[in-house]
Amino acid sequence: MHEGCAVVGIFSREMDISRTSFFSLFSLQHRGQESSGIAVSDGHNIRKHTGNGLVSQVFTEYELDRLRGHIGIGHNHYSTTGTNRLFNAQPITVGSGTSTLALAHNGNIVNAEPLRDELTELGYNFHTSTNSEVIGNLILSSPGNSLEEKIRHAMRRLEGAYSMTIMSKDKLIGVRDPMGIRPLCLGTIDNGWIIASESCALDQAGAQFIEEIEPAEIVVIDDDGKSSFKQKGKRKALCIFEYIYFARPDSVISGKLVYQARESMGAMLAQEYPVDADLVMGIPDSATAAAIGYSRTSGIPYCEGLLKNRYVGRTFIQPDQRMRDLGVQMEFNPLSRIISGKRLVVVDDSIVRGTTTPHVINLLRKGGAREIHLRICAPPLCHPCFLEVDMASEWELIAAQMPVPRIREYLGADSLGYLSLDGLIHATGLPEDIFCLACLNGEYPLPTQIALGKLTMGK
Ligand code: 5GP
Ligand code: MG
């Protein structure tokens, strides 16, 4: 379950579009480390640059200088399949000449395969295996006089998750699927506009947050300013994992600061699973806020028990098996002098396959920890997510395979507590019915027929 990609879009005649796009993508690096790209329009031509690796590796001064214009969109791609294929990097472009569109997409279209077959029969060519190219060609093939109208038609055919930025030679468009599965927000910047997956990108680009783009909304920005087309959404289905893991803690989603939601998850865990212990720590970085919350509520002092090397990117670890095995060890170093002989509460955001946690616990034991009480900010993850590209299938999800006591044993912890669903929802401070909780409770926001189709279809 890995498709937390990032998208950005900027429209301004008073600033350096490519560098602002670059910095926005840079602050959304956590949403995708595999590849990155920026496309810019000067009103006549769309130029783009994409590459594999981190944002700072993909762009040089030379590339940024070359990308001149007043409209830009950008994308960070997240994937852990190891199929690090550059031709799937985004933004993608479709069409030709004055009708060229560039598109950056976060999410997954469940009915992409049948749409692709249909479009291929109509004569549309596909150069990538991305959903995003399907969306792009679907928009081109849709009826309508304006781009907005075409997008609106295309949206009726698309099933699944999409938060997107789309650019024609003279327009920037932001679109969010009718269920609002992935976040997308809007701000102002230097007499212009900026769209980004998370509000932290707006903060760091020096923009002013205006509002979240609503589910089913199409925001169009051009030289005449901003216009918005709101349509009736379906049931809301914001991915709960934005709060648990994907989003950066300094982002605000649905009016809630992610940091505070995580801190409350820790506080709820302390109430649901109290334990006699000496120190509380989080597995960096995603569980830090929750560990602080656990510490405050329990009164057990907080510490950093593991130091994380922030510069270890997934991309470096992947290619080689020995490197993969070393991965956890290269990423974390236990602070033995702090944790030695101590009874630890160790807070983590989530357990998916259960492959990393045993290594982390092992490291802490080697560091001298006497007891390890593992606390997880989410209920057991038992159902695959079909709104993500690389979702784990059921047999890969450890919680779908064994009951909690066996998981505890398998991971090597002295005790294990998963936050209850009620506790989790309470921690967000938001109503339960705005979330997609399918991976936790099996209630999919789309007809299961479609979900199952996706599951059996593979990639
Ligand atoms: P696993 O249990 O699969 O070995 O690893 C789960 C851990 O990987 C989580 O604690 C989380 O920090 C991290 N992680 C990386 N990518 C994802 C993702 O797409 N979803 C979730 N829930 N966790 C992820
Ligand atoms: Mg983790």
Side-chain angles (χ1 to χ4, degrees):
M1 49 175 292
H2 303 272
E3 187 71 357
C5 300
V7 300
V8 302
I10 301 171
F11 189 111
S12 167
R13 289 194 176 269
E14 294 179 18
M15 66 188 316
D16 187 330
I17 293 293
S18 63
R19 280 181 179 74
T20 312
S21 304
F22 171 88
F23 282 113
S24 309
L25 290 176
F26 194 49
S27 52
L28 295 171
Q29 186 76 80
H30 60 285
R31 294 184 76 84
Q33 296 99 39
E34 186 191 61
S35 65
S36 184
I38 295 174
V40 172
S41 170
D42 59 6
H44 306 286
N45 295 304
I46 291 177
R47 292 188 185 85
K48 74 167 180 172
H49 177 73
T50 57
N52 283 333
L54 302 173
V55 178
S56 59
Q57 298 170 312
V58 170
F59 297 98
T60 60
E61 288 292 322
Y62 170 81
E63 292 298 347
L64 292 175
D65 279 338
R66 200 177 64 85
L67 296 169
R68 281 176 193 280
H70 63 284
I71 320 174
I73 64 170
H75 188 267
N76 289 338
H77 189 63
Y78 190 151
S79 161
T80 57
T81 45
T83 51
N84 210 336
R85 289 168 301 184
L86 180 54
F87 61 86
N88 281 343
Q90 298 191 38
I92 57 112
T93 49
V94 292
S96 59
T98 52
S99 69
T100 303
L101 294 182
L103 193 139
H105 167 222
N106 172 202
N108 189 43
I109 302 301
V110 176
N111 61 340
E113 310 251 330
L115 286 173
R116 190 187 172 99
D117 293 344
E118 196 184 310
L119 289 160
T120 307
E121 238 161 69
L122 287 173
Y124 288 88
N125 292 321
F126 287 87
H127 307 285
T128 73
S129 62
T130 60
N131 280 195
S132 321
E133 202 178 14
V134 174
I135 303 175
N137 282 323
L138 181 66
I139 293 171
L140 288 181
S141 76
S142 292
N145 294 319
S146 64
L147 183 52
E148 306 80 278
E149 235 178 289
K150 284 171 175 287
I151 292 173
R152 206 160 347 148
H153 270 99
M155 286 172 80
R156 296 202 191 115
R157 311 260 347 254
L158 294 170
E159 297 281 357
Y162 49 97
S163 279
M164 308 189 272
T165 49
I166 301 173
M167 180 176 71
S168 66
K169 65 181 177 29
D170 45 21
K171 282 182 187 173
L172 168 65
I173 297 185
V175 186
R176 200 163 166 214
D177 70 66
M179 295 190 285
I181 295 164
R182 295 281 154 222
L184 195 64
C185 63
L186 176 76
T188 52
I189 186 167
D190 287 17
N191 274 319
W193 298 89
I194 177 166
I195 296 169
S197 293
E198 291 181 36
S199 64
C200 69
L202 271 49
D203 299 338
Q204 295 207 291
Q208 202 66 37
F209 175 88
I210 299 290
E211 62 195 6
E212 290 202 4
I213 294 178
E214 286 178 20
E217 185 177 359
I218 306 171
V219 173
V220 181
I221 294 155
D222 58 19
D223 275 319
D224 297 329
K226 185 203 91 169
S227 41
S228 155
F229 302 86
K230 293 193 183 176
Q231 317 174 78
K232 209 170 131 1
K234 299 185 184 157
R235 62 151 286 197
K236 284 188 185 171
L238 175 62
C239 171
I240 189 81
F241 266 87
E242 291 290 343
Y243 290 98
I244 299 168
Y245 172 76
F246 290 142
R248 230 169 71 162
D250 52 337
S251 286
V252 175
I253 301 175
S254 266
K256 182 77 181 185
L257 179 67
V258 172
Y259 181 92
Q260 283 175 323
R262 290 191 187 157
E263 200 180 19
S264 302
M265 288 172 204
M268 298 302 296
L269 274 169
Q271 285 173 23
E272 292 184 4
Y273 299 98
V275 63
D276 247 344
D278 306 307
L279 291 169
V280 181
M281 56 164 282
I283 298 183
D285 292 315
S286 44
T288 302
I292 291 170
Y294 194 107
S295 162
R296 287 233 174 100
T297 299
S298 63
I300 304 169
Y302 170 80
C303 77
E304 289 191 72
L306 279 179
L307 253 288
K308 176 172 171 148
N309 182 341
R310 295 207 166 80
Y311 310 98
V312 175
R314 245 168 241 286
T315 29
F316 296 113
I317 301 175
Q318 262 183 12
D320 163 292
Q321 184 59 42
R322 205 179 91 84
M323 287 293 161
R324 252 199 305 270
D325 293 341
L326 273 175
V328 172
Q329 198 177 323
M330 289 196 313
E331 191 169 359
F332 298 116
N333 195 21
L335 285 162
S336 307
R337 294 184 194 196
I338 305 293
I339 63 173
S340 182
K342 298 292 195 295
R343 298 167 301 168
L344 299 179
V345 173
V346 176
V347 183
D348 200 4
D349 56 280
S350 56
I351 298 172
V352 183
R353 295 170 176 82
T355 46
T356 46
T357 318
H359 293 289
V360 174
I361 289 184
N362 208 10
L363 267 186
L364 291 169
R365 296 253 188 237
K366 277 196 203 154
R370 181 146 64 91
E371 288 173 19
I372 294 174
H373 301 280
L374 192 59
R375 299 292 179 267
I376 306 297
C377 294
L381 219 154
C382 296
H383 309 275
C385 175
F386 59 86
L387 295 166
E388 302 296 342
V389 170
D390 284 324
M391 73 195 156
S393 36
E394 207 160 306
W395 59 266
E396 289 177 287
L397 298 172
I398 191 169
Q401 295 308 319
M402 49 181 100
V404 175
R406 281 222 14 236
I407 300 176
R408 180 201 63 73
E409 212 176 299
Y410 177 86
L411 301 176
D414 295 289
S415 76
L416 171 61
Y418 281 98
L419 184 58
S420 69
L421 192 55
D422 283 347
L424 173 61
I425 301 295
H426 183 83
T428 65
L430 294 163
E432 179 168 346
D433 62 7
I434 71 159
F435 289 114
C436 176
L437 303 167
C439 59
L440 308 175
N441 66 9
E443 289 172 25
Y444 291 94
L446 286 174
T448 357
Q449 212 52 43
I450 299 177
L452 291 178
K454 170 69 193 170
L455 291 179
T456 49
M457 223 178 310
K459 284 221 307 173

